[in-house]
């Protein structure tokens, strides 16, 4: 029975549909839970968590899939979510190797999430500037 559950969880179709559900929840439900105008970023949380657990290589693949879903479901220039999440996965993956070096350090996942968020925001800003959109600094930080 455990083998069937493991194969079901590792099925690429289940992965694509599961990450599609993450993107759908982020686009449709999470804006209602915004705190001071900033909605939670479920896709970034999933990608950073996977990068810390399984490394950057696997997380970049997850970022590609969930980023494509978000680009299809949300407005904006196509590819913006893909590139931002892939950079965030690479940044968070740098901390994945340090995560299990002996001590249980709760600061590392928080620091990697913050760095990945900054990297994703910087990529978004660069892409918006390159496409000619005007973005103010306070909007970028939100």
């Amino acid at each position: 029975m455990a083998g069937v559950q493991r194969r079901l969880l590792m099925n690429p179709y289940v992965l694509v549909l599961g990450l599609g559900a993450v993107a759908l929840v982020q686009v449709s439900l999470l804006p209602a839970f915004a705190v001071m105008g900033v909605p939670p970023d479920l896709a970034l949380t999933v990608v950073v968590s996977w990068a810390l657990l399984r490394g950057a290589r696997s997380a970049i693949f997850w970022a590609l899939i969930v980023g494509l879903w978000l680009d299809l479901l949300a407005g904006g220039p196509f590819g913006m979510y893909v590139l931002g999440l892939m950079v965030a996965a690479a940044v968070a993956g740098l901390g994945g190797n340090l995560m299990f070096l002996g001590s249980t350090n709760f600061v590392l996942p928080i620091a990697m999430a913050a760095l990945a968020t900054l990297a994703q925001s910087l990529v978004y800003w660069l892409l918006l500037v390159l496409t000619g959109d005007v973005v103010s600094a306070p909007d970028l930080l939100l």
Side-chain angles (χ1 to χ4, degrees):
M1 183 67 171
V4 172
Q5 289 176 344
R6 182 177 172 99
R7 276 185 277 141
L8 181 63
L9 290 175
M10 298 309 288
N11 188 339
Y13 301 114
V14 173
L15 172 68
V16 170
L17 290 176
L19 291 175
V22 166
L24 186 62
V25 166
Q26 180 172 329
V27 170
S28 61
L29 295 178
L30 291 183
F33 296 102
V35 176
M36 295 175 43
V38 181
D41 196 344
L42 181 61
L44 181 65
T45 305
V46 167
V47 168
V48 168
S49 298
W50 195 254
L52 290 173
L53 292 173
R54 299 291 182 165
R57 188 175 197 172
S58 179
I60 289 172
F61 180 69
W62 278 45
L64 174 70
I65 294 170
V66 75
L68 285 172
W69 275 109
L70 284 169
D71 282 331
L72 289 172
L73 295 173
F78 193 80
M80 193 167 85
Y81 281 107
V82 170
L83 290 175
L85 286 171
M86 288 176 78
V87 168
V91 168
L94 296 175
N97 296 334
L98 303 172
M99 185 112 164
F100 301 106
L101 286 181
S103 66
T104 56
N105 188 357
F106 70 91
V107 176
L108 181 67
I110 296 169
M112 284 296 118
L115 286 174
T117 302
L118 288 174
Q120 181 188 32
S121 296
L122 182 64
V123 169
Y124 286 170
W125 177 76
L126 287 172
L127 290 174
L128 287 173
V129 167
L130 289 174
T131 58
D133 290 338
V134 177
V135 181
S136 66
D139 289 338
L140 176 65
L141 296 175
L142 295 178

